[in-house]
Amino acid sequence: MTTKSTTMTLCTYMGAIAGTMMFVGIWPIAHLFPPLAPSMPVEEVAAYYRSHQTGILVGAILIASSSVLFFPFLAAVATFMKKIEGPISPVTWAFVMVVAFGFVTVFFAGLFFTAAAYRPDRPDAVIGALSDIAFLLFVMPAVPAFVQNLLTGFVILGDRRAKPILPRWLGYMNLWTGVLLLPGLAVGLFKTGPFAWNGVLAFWMPAVVFGIWFNLMIFAMLGAIKRDALGGE
Amino acid sequence: MAASQAAAARSRGHVPGEEGVWVFIGGDLVVFAVFFITYAVARQQELALFESAQALLNRNLGLLNTLLLLTSSLFVAQSVAAVRRGDSKARPLLLAAILLGSGFVIVKIFEYSAKIAEGFTLNSNSFSIYYYMFTGIHLVHVLIGLGVLCFALSRFDRNGKMPGGVALIEGSGAFWHLVDLLWIILFALLYLL
């Protein structure tokens, strides 16, 4: 194994670490997964942050840190895309810009969870507003995620090589994931029902699909690194 | 000779389009199955409200759209067959399918604006959320499908043939049939049931 493929492997695995950190932070530590119901009265939201203060503050550190660790993984994806596109690579650049702001929202979600839990003596309404911002930052970035997946799928399917750098099914998988994440964009319109930010279709389905997509990306990228798809030419 | 080989390949179990398309189609079917189950559960919980709200939908426009999509699908299927034969009728057939599909979009716009003018909007009741979100997400599929069909249309050469384009037209056709199939279920669930 060459040094370059070792670096690529490390970057790819960094995605798995980031995903795990974010999940551990928001679920067993902060107890903010599944999200608090958008219809929950503001006094109850504030009480929740006061009674879970330490967990939320520690979980938020993991969430904010995970945001940074997603980038080596995304850089590895971009490296594959650049290889496929060649010297003229507008779609890869678009991908790099979209993920840069799409994944930074995870960092801000961590900051707003911290701010909401930081001073328990704050009025209920303030804690409630900070909590809303944090959850919206978590779910609404479906739009950059949608575009990011579309761009990835577009590049993978545009590969004209006899032996494609990344498998073509991964391209279709990306398009599918993108379409599925889209209901997240409408969460601002609802407080209850399937399209609210804790609903079946705006939260659970995208969350599950995102998990599947993430694991398949890592799996396919490790496979491509192993057969040295980036070498040659 | 080539035709008989192709026929033999088909009888062995030919997958239309490239296999990857079916990852997308299968995935989409799973998602819509989740949609339909969610809807069925919600409808059971508020049966009276759903029934009275459903009665307000314009069944004629729904039926018109069903006919438009079904006919469009038929034209796509004819076009796929024509491309396989190397017949130059494939292009006009595909164009007709695209026009019928565009008709669906136009009818949908009229239907939405009439509903909004009546005061039946996104958050009017639990049914309206499903109505707008499901038909809206389906409409996104129609638009993507039209884009795919237009792309396929651009691939015909000057003689109206698409050499080596069987997989492309089959894949596009398969997606268009999916759009059609989903609409038939949506139409039955939202307008008729």
Side-chain angles (χ1 to χ4, degrees), chain A residues 195-221:
Chain A
F195 293 101
W197 78 46
N198 67 342
V200 181
L201 304 182
F203 179 76
W204 286 106
M205 207 173 58
V208 170
V209 169
F210 181 79
I212 296 172
W213 167 82
F214 207 48
N215 283 296
L216 286 179
M217 280 298 279
I218 292 174
F219 170 76
M221 283 162 67

Side-chain angles (χ1 to χ4, degrees), chain B residues 141-159:
Chain B
H141 279 72
V142 174
L143 294 173
I144 295 172
L146 284 173
V148 170
L149 292 183
C150 285
F151 176 73
L153 190 70
S154 74
R155 295 281 117 173
F156 282 104
D157 65 14
R158 207 174 299 154
N159 306 316

Side-chain angles (χ1 to χ4, degrees), chain A residues 157 168-169 172-173 175-176 179-180 182-183 186 189-190 192 194-195 200-201 205 209, chain B residues 18 20-21 23-24 27-28 31 34-35 38 122-123 129-130 133-134 137 140-141 144:
Chain A
L157 293 176
R168 290 181 69 80
W169 60 261
Y172 286 106
M173 174 74 203
L175 296 183
W176 176 61
V179 172
L180 268 197
L182 215 46
L189 295 168
F190 308 106
T192 57
F195 293 101
V200 181
L201 304 182
M205 207 173 58
V209 169
Chain B
E18 61 169 298
V21 178
V23 174
F24 187 90
D28 228 33
V31 173
V34 176
F35 277 22
T38 319
L122 187 61
N123 270 319
I129 296 178
Y130 286 99
M133 292 302 287
F134 284 5
I137 291 169
V140 172
H141 279 72
I144 295 172

Side-chain angles (χ1 to χ4, degrees), chain B residues 100-121:
Chain B
L100 287 163
S102 314
F104 178 94
V105 178
I106 294 165
V107 171
K108 208 80 213 138
I109 292 168
F110 276 108
E111 194 186 339
Y112 280 153
S113 24
K115 280 273 151 286
I116 292 166
E118 286 168 22
F120 183 84
T121 55

